[in-house]
Amino acid sequence: MRQWNICKTFILADFVKLFVWLCLFLASAAPDSFAESTLQPVGAPPPGANSVFTIFSALDTAFMNYPAIARAKARRKAAQEGISLAATAFLPRLDLVYQENRASENGYFGTYLPLAPLPIVSGPPTSLKRRNFDSVWTCAGGAIFCWELVDFGLRSSQVKVARAEDAEAEAQTRLTRLDVAVAAADAFVGMIAAQQKVKAAAADVERMQVFSVAVHTLVDNQLRPGVDASRADAELALARDDLIAARQTLEVQRATFAEKLGLAGTFVAVDQGPFTTIPVIEKPPVLPPFQFHPLALLNESAIKTVEARQEVLKRSWYPHIFAQSVLQGRGGGFNPGGSLARQGYLPVIPNWAAGLTATFPVLDIFEIKAKQRIERAREQAARATLDETIQRLKGEGARARALIDGAEQLAANAPTFLKAARDTET
């Protein structure tokens, strides 16, 4: 009877675990609407309503509380904001500038290359013989407008990169939800199996207690040798050890279940529902194509991100045409003839300018070609990763199918063992 209880527990636990894993795979591989309708049935108890969880409320609670999902959502939000950031490149640039200073009055004609951080001194010398450190007020202020009119698709390709990164973050979020769901469901089934082991171990202790009393009665009446009483006590002690180990496993599994729900350190329990009965054997559902698995979708989105970056590099070696305009005012402590002005701290001399500016980074071609080679290598690596993922998913699917078939056959033989155990007990 003890062996049958343990055998029954393992058969039920393995069958339920495989069935739940298969349902989670189907739900995660299907569109979001199918997953929500499968994992969130109408009438399911609200998450966190009490410490007793069904399989559905356990999944809802894990989705709500587990930190990995919150982290994935935050990264998805950052990727979405990256799209808005990339779109701002289409906006013009407007800078407002104003400066007020007091500086010496000496000027000099000449030119220097704009590499050294030297201040710019504008205007002719006030006097060739004048060499002093007297100072006057000067000021400048204005508005500078700049808008890139033509970029040959560079900014659009940068927005596409941001959208591809957003799609990759979304695929990562779906994969994270699948991982959290599998971990929570596995811990849920582990709780049920641990409870059944405790129940079987407690029944075995009760049976061994009855057996020990019977043997001691026979030994006391000198109908059995004394060694039989010692052996009966040893069997009872072994059964109690099994019960202690089963209870320890149950508490460890309870802590694991609470952690997978995002409720670590709290007391949780499970509503076993129909999971402790042998299910009706039905034909397993047909698995969807492995290309729709969240892990495969994540690898595909990584490939699209690399392709979008390659498009940016293709459009980087093109001219840029800018429309520019400036409205400024200047004020200085000297008049054009060199005489002292009344004031230099107000921008009383206005000027404006407008025009088109074209730039072409000729020698950037070498840097761009190197980056293109890097991105092509990354694309090859991403495609190889996708192929490896598909191979692994196909292998796991075949192994899962074999395990389900074996579990069905064991479940079909279970009634025979149950009848034999009951007849033996009778």
Side-chain angles (χ1 to χ4, degrees), residues 146-367:
C146 182
W147 189 16
E148 187 172 4
L149 297 179
V150 181
D151 64 351
F152 297 95
L154 177 61
R155 289 173 291 182
S156 298
S157 59
Q158 290 173 343
V159 173
K160 291 180 180 178
V161 170
R163 294 187 183 277
E165 291 176 349
D166 174 55
E168 187 174 357
E170 180 184 6
Q172 182 63 59
T173 301
R174 295 190 62 182
L175 179 61
T176 302
R177 285 176 59 89
L178 174 62
D179 293 338
V180 170
V182 170
D186 184 67
F188 180 88
V189 175
M191 275 280 292
I192 295 177
Q195 288 178 349
Q196 293 300 310
K197 290 179 181 179
V198 170
K199 184 178 179 181
D204 192 46
V205 169
E206 182 180 356
R207 183 179 67 87
M208 293 308 301
Q209 287 176 342
V210 175
F211 176 73
S212 178
V213 170
V215 171
H216 275 275
T217 300
L218 294 176
V219 170
D220 292 342
N221 290 283
Q222 298 183 352
L223 298 176
R224 298 287 295 271
V227 67
D228 287 349
S230 298
R231 293 181 59 185
D233 293 339
E235 291 291 336
L236 177 58
L238 181 61
R240 287 173 176 169
D241 289 344
D242 292 341
L243 178 58
I244 294 173
R247 288 174 176 170
Q248 182 185 43
T249 301
L250 174 60
E251 294 307 316
V252 171
Q253 192 62 41
R254 190 189 308 278
T256 302
F257 182 52
E259 177 188 353
K260 300 307 179 183
L261 296 182
L263 303 174
T266 62
F267 180 85
V268 293
V270 296
D271 182 2
Q272 299 179 0
F275 290 104
T276 56
T277 60
I278 298 179
V280 178
I281 299 177
E282 299 179 354
K283 185 178 180 180
V286 179
L287 293 177
F290 293 100
Q291 289 79 3
F292 295 104
H293 191 279
L295 183 57
L297 295 177
L298 176 60
N299 296 147
E300 289 182 357
S301 62
I303 294 175
K304 293 180 180 179
T305 301
V306 175
E307 292 175 345
R309 290 174 181 166
Q310 290 178 350
E311 186 67 21
V312 170
L313 292 175
K314 289 180 182 178
R315 299 182 181 276
S316 296
W317 199 61
Y318 284 100
H320 300 267
I321 300 177
F322 299 90
Q324 293 178 301
S325 63
V326 60
L327 177 63
Q328 66 173 351
R330 294 287 301 272
F334 281 94
N335 293 319
S339 61
L340 288 172
R342 293 184 177 179
Q343 58 183 14
Y345 49 83
L346 291 178
V348 295
I349 307 300
N351 280 292
W352 66 272
L356 296 177
T357 302
T359 63
F360 182 52
V362 179
L363 297 182
D364 285 358
I365 184 63
F366 302 104
E367 179 183 356

Side-chain angles (χ1 to χ4, degrees), residues 139 306 371:
C139 65
V306 175
K371 291 181 178 180

Side-chain angles (χ1 to χ4, degrees), residues 2-278:
R2 177 188 179 190
Q3 289 78 6
W4 159 243
N5 287 332
I6 297 176
C7 181
K8 176 184 174 183
T9 299
F10 280 104
I11 292 175
L12 289 175
D14 291 340
F15 188 86
V16 171
K17 183 179 295 186
L18 292 172
F19 179 75
V20 172
W21 280 25
L22 180 61
C23 292
L24 289 173
F25 174 79
L26 293 173
S28 62
D32 289 340
S33 59
F34 175 78
E36 291 177 358
S37 62
T38 303
L39 296 180
Q40 299 177 0
V42 177
N50 49 55
S51 60
V52 180
F53 294 91
T54 64
I55 182 64
F56 299 108
S57 63
L59 293 178
D60 290 337
T61 303
F63 291 153
M64 181 181 301
N65 297 329
Y66 203 72
I69 293 182
R71 181 177 64 247
K73 289 182 178 180
R75 291 177 177 174
R76 171 77 191 287
K77 180 64 175 177
Q80 290 176 337
E81 295 300 331
I83 299 176
S84 301
L85 176 61
T88 58
F90 289 95
L91 299 176
R93 182 182 180 89
L94 179 62
D95 295 321
L96 300 179
V97 181
Y98 185 81
Q99 183 181 97
E100 187 83 36
N101 61 63
R102 189 172 180 87
S104 60
E105 61 201 46
N106 300 319
Y108 195 79
F109 289 107
T111 302
Y112 69 94
L113 297 177
L115 292 179
L118 297 175
I120 298 175
V121 179
S122 62
T126 57
S127 175
L128 294 178
K129 297 181 179 181
R130 190 179 181 88
R131 300 290 185 271
N132 59 51
F133 290 94
D134 294 340
S135 61
V136 293
W137 286 104
T138 60
C139 65
I144 304 173
F145 177 85
C146 182
W147 189 16
E148 187 172 4
L149 297 179
V150 181
D151 64 351
F152 297 95
L154 177 61
R155 289 173 291 182
S156 298
S157 59
Q158 290 173 343
V159 173
K160 291 180 180 178
V161 170
R163 294 187 183 277
E165 291 176 349
D166 174 55
E168 187 174 357
E170 180 184 6
Q172 182 63 59
T173 301
R174 295 190 62 182
L175 179 61
T176 302
R177 285 176 59 89
L178 174 62
D179 293 338
V180 170
V182 170
D186 184 67
F188 180 88
V189 175
M191 275 280 292
I192 295 177
Q195 288 178 349
Q196 293 300 310
K197 290 179 181 179
V198 170
K199 184 178 179 181
D204 192 46
V205 169
E206 182 180 356
R207 183 179 67 87
M208 293 308 301
Q209 287 176 342
V210 175
F211 176 73
S212 178
V213 170
V215 171
H216 275 275
T217 300
L218 294 176
V219 170
D220 292 342
N221 290 283
Q222 298 183 352
L223 298 176
R224 298 287 295 271
V227 67
D228 287 349
S230 298
R231 293 181 59 185
D233 293 339
E235 291 291 336
L236 177 58
L238 181 61
R240 287 173 176 169
D241 289 344
D242 292 341
L243 178 58
I244 294 173
R247 288 174 176 170
Q248 182 185 43
T249 301
L250 174 60
E251 294 307 316
V252 171
Q253 192 62 41
R254 190 189 308 278
T256 302
F257 182 52
E259 177 188 353
K260 300 307 179 183
L261 296 182
L263 303 174
T266 62
F267 180 85
V268 293
V270 296
D271 182 2
Q272 299 179 0
F275 290 104
T276 56
T277 60
I278 298 179

